[in-house]
Amino acid sequence: MVFYRQVGQVPPKRHTQFRKPDGGLYYEELMGEEGFSSDSSLLYHSGVPSAIVDSQVWDLPDLATTPNHPLTPRHLKLHDLFAPEAAAAANVVEQRRLVLGNGDVRISYVAAGRPSPYYRNAIGDECVYVEKGSATVETVFGVLEAAEGDYVLIPRATTHRWLPGPDGVSAYCIEANSHIAPPKRYLSRYGQFLEHSPYCERDLVTPASVFVVEGNDVEVLVKHRGHGAAGIVGSRMTYATHPFDVVGWDGCLYPYTFNVSNFEPITGRIHQPPPVHQVFEGNNFVICNFVPRKVDYHPLSVPVPYYHSNVDSDEVMFYCGGDYEARKGSGIGLGSISLHPGGYAHGPQPSAIEASLGAESFEELAVMVDTFRPLELGEGGAVVDDGAYAWTWSGRRLND
C-alpha cells in the first residue's frame, strides 16, 4: 500500500532483539510482495508463526468453468443463488459460488449469516465488495469493520475471518492471481495519491490497533496453487498457537477498506470513457465503479454510453444500487451481472438513449471488472443465466 503504518509495539530497529515481559523473544515475520522487492510489513508474534501440528486436504467448492461459447452477452441474477435459509447458514469463505473466472481473476458471490473459519488466500489479493449488510473482518493485522458499499482489500496470505453483522452480509468477491492496488496513474513515483486521483489516503480505513487472541491448535483454511480446477487446491493447516498473536507491526502492506461513497466522480461536457471510473487494478484486469453523479452538460450531449467494442477485454458489470440508465428495458436489476464479452459491440438498450436526453444526473451504482483474457462461466453463473438478455437489443431471436 502507498503509506507507512505502525500499530502496536515494535522495536526501534528492525531485525533486532525484541523481548517479551518475561524475557523471551517475540518472533519477527516479514510479509512481503514480489520477492523482497515491493511492499512489506514486519509482524511480531508471541508464538512461532511456522509451527503447525497438522495439515489435511480442504475440499474446495466447485471451481470448474465453462467457456462462453458460442460468444454470447449474458445476464446473471446473483440474488437467485442464495435463498434466505441458505444465506443464514452460509459463511463468506466456504459457501462462495463461482460466477465467472479465468487464469487471472475469479468473481464469486455469497450471502452469509454465520462466522467463517480462519482463512488465508495464498494465490493472490482479494477485493471483496460489500453489497448489503455488514461484517467484522478479523485479521492478523487487526480488525476492520465492513459496511455496505465498502471494498475490503486483503493482501495475499493474510490470515483473517468474516463475522457477519446482525442482518448478515452479501459480498461480491474478486479474487486475483496477483496483487490488487490503486491505478499507477493515480500515484506519484513515490506512491502518494496525486491531485487528479478520485480518492486519496484519507479515504482508506486501516486497522487501528492490534487484535490478540490466545489459543492452541487453531485450524486455518488455506487456498493455494496446485493441480485442482483452475490450478487451485485447499489445505486445512492447524497451527500450534493462535495466528492472531501479533503484538505489533509496521510497514506498507496491510488490509484496508474503502467506501464507494468516497469515490469522487470525474465528469465532462460529453460522455466520459470507463477509465475515469477506475478504482483498482490487478494483473490483466481492472476494477471500476459507476457512482451517483452529474452527467454530461453539453447542450447536445447523450448521457448514456455510446456503443463500443471491447476488442481487448470482457466487461462485467455488477448492478448494486440505484437505477442503471443504459440497461433500462433489458431485465437488468439490482443484484444482476451483465457480461459483455470481447468481440461483441455493446451499449445501451435502444429505448434508453432517447430517454436519457436532458438528464442532469444519474443515481446509479455499479462495480465493473474488465478482464484482458476471456472469462468463463462458473457453476454459480451458469445456474442464474436468464437466457434472454442477448436478444434484448433486437427484440427477437432467430427462429423463435
Side-chain angles (χ1 to χ4, degrees):
M1 195 41 232
V2 63
F3 60 97
Y4 170 84
R5 293 289 323 281
Q6 177 183 321
V7 175
Q9 308 169 56
V10 300
K13 184 76 172 176
R14 65 182 177 178
H15 313 325
T16 59
Q17 297 176 30
F18 180 33
R19 294 196 176 273
K20 306 173 185 177
D22 65 6
L25 283 170
Y26 287 111
Y27 300 95
E28 183 183 59
E29 176 196 3
L30 174 71
M31 183 173 172
E33 298 177 343
E34 299 179 11
F36 301 93
S37 300
S38 189
D39 295 345
S40 66
S41 285
L42 288 168
L43 298 88
Y44 294 88
H45 295 262
S46 296
V48 178
S50 303
I52 60 172
V53 296
D54 195 22
S55 186
Q56 302 290 332
V57 171
W58 169 28
D59 291 320
L60 295 174
D62 187 359
L63 297 180
T65 56
T66 303
N68 183 22
H69 185 227
L71 196 66
T72 308
R74 297 178 185 272
H75 169 200
L76 313 178
K77 299 181 177 181
L78 299 193
H79 288 176
D80 290 351
L81 287 173
F82 289 88
E85 60 274 12
N91 71 66
V92 170
V93 171
E94 294 178 288
Q95 276 73 51
R96 294 180 187 182
R97 298 187 66 179
L98 182 63
V99 178
L100 297 162
N102 62 21
D104 303 308
V105 63
R106 292 164 302 285
I107 300 172
S108 301
Y109 184 78
V110 64
R114 296 179 64 83
S116 78
Y118 295 104
Y119 164 65
R120 182 164 67 243
N121 186 332
I123 298 169
D125 293 358
E126 295 195 359
C127 174
V128 179
Y129 179 79
V130 178
E131 180 201 9
K132 292 187 295 186
S134 62
T136 298
V137 186
E138 298 175 349
T139 86
V140 70
F141 292 90
V143 175
L144 294 169
E145 298 297 336
E148 184 173 319
D150 275 340
Y151 291 99
V152 183
L153 274 293
I154 303 174
R156 176 188 289 174
T158 299
T159 302
H160 66 284
R161 70 168 180 164
W162 288 78
L163 290 80
D167 297 320
V169 64
S170 297
Y172 186 69
C173 308
I174 302 167
E175 299 180 30
N177 279 12
S178 61
H179 302 297
I180 299 174
K184 292 181 179 64
R185 69 179 184 278
Y186 293 170
L187 305 175
S188 76
R189 60 177 174 156
Y190 299 112
Q192 183 181 11
F193 281 96
L194 296 169
E195 283 296 302
H196 66 264
S197 171
Y199 62 101
C200 73
E201 291 87 350
R202 296 183 190 181
D203 300 316
L204 310 182
V205 179
T206 63
S209 60
V210 294
F211 180 63
V212 179
V213 180
E214 295 183 356
N216 298 310
D217 298 344
V218 178
E219 184 178 80
V220 178
L221 303 188
V222 182
K223 188 180 292 180
H224 56 97
R225 291 183 285 259
H227 294 290
I232 300 169
V233 293
S235 294
R236 297 179 178 271
M237 302 184 74
T238 303
Y239 283 80
T241 56
H242 204 293
F244 292 173
D245 64 349
V246 173
V247 299
W249 61 270
D250 75 331
C252 296
L253 182 66
Y254 42 79
Y256 62 92
T257 66
F258 169 69
N259 194 276
V260 71
S261 65
N262 288 319
F263 186 91
E264 303 302 331
I266 298 169
T267 61
R269 292 183 74 226
I270 58 174
H271 192 80
Q272 299 297 295
V276 304
H277 304 286
Q278 188 177 352
V279 60
F280 300 114
E281 65 185 9
N283 183 55
N284 280 337
F285 72 94
V286 300
I287 303 172
C288 304
N289 41 221
F290 294 78
V291 302
R293 63 196 182 279
K294 290 185 177 294
V295 292
D296 321 333
Y297 45 88
H298 187 284
L300 296 178
S301 67
V302 179
V304 295
Y306 36 81
Y307 293 93
H308 48 289
S309 295
N310 283 4
V311 296
D312 291 318
S313 59
D314 282 12
E315 177 199 276
V316 182
M317 193 79 79
F318 175 47
Y319 305 90
C320 43
D323 190 2
Y324 199 78
E325 295 291 329
R327 298 276 80 81
K328 283 185 174 178
S330 67
I332 294 284
L334 294 181
S336 291
I337 271 183
S338 62
L339 168 63
H340 300 137
Y344 168 74
H346 67 276
Q349 309 306 124
S351 60
I353 301 173
E354 289 283 356
S356 75
L357 301 181
E360 295 185 356
S361 63
F362 285 166
E363 296 300 317
E364 63 191 22
L365 181 60
V367 174
M368 184 178 82
V369 178
D370 271 13
T371 67
F372 297 104
R373 286 204 285 181
L375 285 163
E376 298 189 345
L377 287 166
E379 62 82 22
V383 299
V384 293
D385 185 353
D386 83 340
Y389 177 66
W391 331 117
T392 57
W393 285 267
S394 63
R396 64 187 181 90
R397 184 177 185 183
L398 192 64
N399 300 324
D400 277 3

